[in-house]
Amino acid sequence: MAMTDQQRHRMIERAVRPLSQVHADASIVLWERLAVELTVIIGERGFSSLYARSLNQAALQYEWLAPHPPKTSADAFTLLASSLKARAPAEAQAASSAMLNMFIDTLIILIGELVTNSILRSAWGDDVVNSAATEH
C-alpha cells in the first residue's frame, strides 16, 4: 500500500521519538539498518553519497550538524551520534527526522516509492511501516 509523504514523515518522526529517552541511539539504529539494506543495492559509496547529501541539506536548517567528507557508514554514524547527543532531545529528534526524511524522499525519486517502502519494511520492520500506511 502506498503512503503519502506526510504519512511517511510522521512514521519517521515516531521512529526517532525514543530520542527523548535514549537520545541519539534510536536514530543511529535506524540509519544502521537502512545502510545494511541499501548497501546491498547501491553500494557503500552510493549510500554515503545519499547520506552526505541529506546531512548537507539538514545542516542548512541545523547549523550544528556539521557536514563532513564522505566516510564509511560506521564513521559517519559515530559523528552523527556525537552531534545529536550534544543537543537537547527535542532538537536532536527534529534534526534526525529531517535528515531521514530528506534521505528517503531522495531515494523515492531515484528508485520509486514501492521499492523504497519495501526497503524500509525490511530495514525497520512491519510495525514501523504499517503504522504509517494505515494512518488516516
Side-chain angles (χ1 to χ4, degrees):
M1 170 182 269
M3 66 178 100
T4 67
D5 289 344
Q6 185 178 24
Q7 287 172 319
R8 188 174 19 270
H9 291 187
R10 281 196 301 254
M11 172 192 68
I12 291 167
E13 288 170 10
R14 281 193 306 277
V16 299
R17 193 168 290 145
L19 284 173
S20 59
Q21 290 94 26
V22 197
H23 217 48
D25 295 339
S27 179
I28 301 308
V29 168
L30 293 175
W31 279 111
E32 289 170 342
R33 290 179 180 169
L34 192 54
V36 167
E37 295 298 323
L38 276 174
T39 54
V40 172
I41 300 167
I42 62 175
E44 177 71 33
R45 292 179 81 184
F47 182 86
S48 293
S49 295
L50 285 174
Y51 177 86
R53 181 182 185 280
S54 300
L55 180 62
N56 288 335
Q57 285 185 320
L60 296 173
Q61 184 175 0
Y62 303 96
E63 296 88 23
W64 51 269
L65 274 176
H68 47 267
K71 299 180 176 293
T72 66
S73 296
D75 291 340
F77 300 152
T78 298
L79 290 172
L80 177 62
S82 295
S83 294
L84 293 174
K85 288 178 180 180
R87 308 311 286 193
E91 188 176 19
Q93 179 182 343
S96 183
S97 293
M99 274 187 67
L100 281 163
N101 281 321
M102 289 173 199
F103 186 96
I104 292 167
D105 289 348
T106 302
L107 193 60
I108 287 170
I109 292 168
L110 295 173
I111 65 173
E113 183 176 4
L114 291 176
V115 175
T116 299
N117 287 342
S118 177
I119 290 167
L120 293 178
R121 187 177 306 283
S122 182
W124 296 347
D126 289 336
D127 292 342
V128 172
V129 177
N130 287 343
S131 69
T134 58
E135 189 177 275
H136 297 291

